[in-house]
Amino acid sequence: MTTTSAPDEPPSVAMTDEAYGALRASAALWVGTSVLITNQRGQILLQRVSYRPTCLLPGGAVDTGESPAQGAARELEEELGVRASVTRGLAVDWVSPAGRTTPSTMKFPGELLHVFDGGVWDEDQIASIRPAPGEIEDIEFVEPADLPGLMSPGDARRALCALRARTNGTGAVLLEDGKPLVPTLLDRVNAFTRHRATHHWPWHEGPLPAGIPVRQCWGWLFAADGRVLVLLDPANGAACLPGGAPEPQDHGLLGYLPDEHHSGGSCARVRMAATLTNVGPSRPDPATGQTYVRALATPEQVIELFDWGSSAADQLTAVHRARARLRLPRAIRQPLTLVTGDEVLR
C-alpha cells in the first residue's frame, strides 16, 4: 500500500500514527448487530418498533468499545428484558451507502451488520419477554415467507440468508447488501420464501389401523451417510419428501398422520423408511409436472423445512429409530447437497 502523511509528500509505505489514524477514521463505518430467534415451529421473532414503519429483528447499533456479540446481548436485555449469551454468528452483511435509503443529511457511510443465532425459544422463554416500553410496540413470531412483507427489502434478505445459514450449519455467511457472496443450494432455490407445508397432525408410529384410507405416502429415503433425500421447488425452495399416491407394493412403514379435515373425508398420510441405492436422472413429477431440485439433508434439516408443529419431534424420533434399524450412521449437519442423478448412494 502506498500512502502519504500529507498532500504534498511523495507516496510512501510509511505513515505517522496520527496520519494513519486519520486515514482510517475517514473511512469509518457504522456497525450494527441483530439476533435471529425462532420458536419451536421455526417462526421468526420480529419487533414492531415506534421509530420505523417496518419490523426488525432484535438488535441495534454497537456501542463504542463494544463487540458485536456484546451489543447483541445488550440489545436483547434492553429491548426484550431477556438476558442471554450470544456467541454464534449467522451472517455479516456489508450494507453499502447505496444499499439503504437514508436522508442525504445523514451522510450514511455504509454499515457492517452482524446477525447472531439466538436459538430456538420454548414457551417459557417466550413468556419471559418484556418489550421495552416506548420503543418496542409489539413482538410476534412470523413465518419466514412473510418477512419480505413486514421488513425492509435489505433486512428481509439478510434475515432469510441468516436462517438458511443456520439450517446449513456451517457458520456465518458473508453478504453484500443482503446477498450472499457464495450462494448455497438453499440460497439458489430461495428457500423459505414460500410458506412451509403445515401438517399439525399427531404422529402415530407403527401399523395403520384397518379401514382408514391412505391419501398420501412419503418416504424417508436414507443415503449411506444417514442423510435423506428431500425435494425442493426450484423457484421458492418449498420442500416435500419423495412420494405421492400409495402403491400396492409400498413397504417399510414407519408410521402415519391422521388427517381428519381432508376434503374427501378422514384419511391417513403414511410415512415410509428405506435405504437409497442409486438415483437416476431427474424427471417431472407425474402428478404436478414439476421438476424438483433433489438434495440430501439430515433429518433435522428436513424438519426445519416444514411446519409440522409439536408432532415433528415424535416423527423425528421414529425416523432415527428406523435409521438405526437400517444400520446407518447419524448424519452430521452440513449444507444441503445437490443430487444431480446417477449417483451411487449406498
Side-chain angles (χ1 to χ4, degrees), residues 185 221-223 225 227-230 276 294-298 301 334-339 345:
L185 176 59
L221 307 182
F222 287 92
D225 64 358
R227 291 186 293 169
V228 295
L229 189 67
V230 64
L276 282 167
R294 300 173 301 178
L296 290 179
T298 69
Q301 288 170 317
Q334 58 188 284
L336 274 71
T337 304
L338 180 68
V339 177
L345 302 175

Side-chain angles (χ1 to χ4, degrees), residues 28-88:
L29 302 172
W30 293 1
V31 180
T33 189
S34 60
V35 184
L36 183 90
I37 297 165
T38 59
N39 61 14
Q40 293 175 312
R41 287 178 53 189
Q43 297 171 314
I44 295 174
L45 186 153
L46 288 187
Q47 300 180 152
R48 295 189 181 275
V49 297
S50 58
Y51 52 88
R52 276 200 189 182
T54 54
C55 295
L56 299 170
L57 297 178
V62 174
D63 288 346
T64 303
E66 187 177 56
S67 74
Q70 291 169 338
R74 173 183 52 77
E75 290 286 352
L76 283 180
E77 185 169 3
E78 291 178 358
E79 295 183 339
L80 300 180
V82 174
R83 289 190 177 184
S85 173
V86 180
T87 58
R88 183 186 174 204

Side-chain angles (χ1 to χ4, degrees), residues 15-28:
M15 295 185 71
T16 66
D17 290 345
E18 181 181 6
Y20 183 72
L23 177 66
R24 296 302 298 266
S26 70

Side-chain angles (χ1 to χ4, degrees), residues 164-324:
R164 294 170 194 145
R166 182 207 266 187
T167 299
N168 278 322
T170 54
V173 296
L174 297 178
L175 313 175
E176 290 186 356
D177 289 327
K179 299 176 182 178
L181 292 179
V182 183
T184 66
L185 176 59
L186 288 179
D187 295 310
R188 295 197 297 271
V189 299
N190 299 306
F192 300 113
T193 57
R194 178 178 170 183
H195 279 224
R196 297 169 299 154
T198 302
H199 298 162
H200 289 186
W201 304 302
W203 169 253
H204 294 274
E205 190 170 357
L208 182 69
I212 300 179
V214 176
R215 301 291 184 190
Q216 179 195 73
C217 180
W218 280 359
W220 289 89
L221 307 182
F222 287 92
D225 64 358
R227 291 186 293 169
V228 295
L229 189 67
V230 64
L231 309 180
L232 304 171
D233 188 307
N236 52 44
C240 64
L241 290 170
E247 302 285 346
Q249 66 271 25
D250 282 341
H251 60 280
L253 179 66
L254 185 66
Y256 67 96
L257 298 152
D259 182 357
E260 305 292 341
H261 303 290
H262 189 271
S263 58
S266 297
C267 63
R269 298 174 184 265
V270 169
R271 302 292 178 258
M272 320 293 284
T275 302
L276 282 167
T277 55
N278 62 286
V279 178
S282 183
R283 296 186 177 90
D285 185 315
T288 65
Q290 173 70 272
T291 300
Y292 292 100
V293 172
R294 300 173 301 178
L296 290 179
T298 69
E300 288 76 13
Q301 288 170 317
V302 170
I303 293 292
E304 292 168 18
L305 296 173
F306 295 91
D307 176 10
W308 286 349
S310 59
S311 69
D314 295 331
Q315 187 170 171
L316 184 61
T317 298
V319 168
H320 279 300
R321 277 200 282 263
R323 174 191 54 76

Side-chain angles (χ1 to χ4, degrees), residues 6 100 113 124 137-138 181 198 204-205 263 325 333:
R100 173 181 293 175
L113 278 168
D124 289 340
E137 296 179 339
D138 195 13
L181 292 179
T198 302
H204 294 274
E205 190 170 357
S263 58
R325 288 194 297 270
R333 185 177 287 254

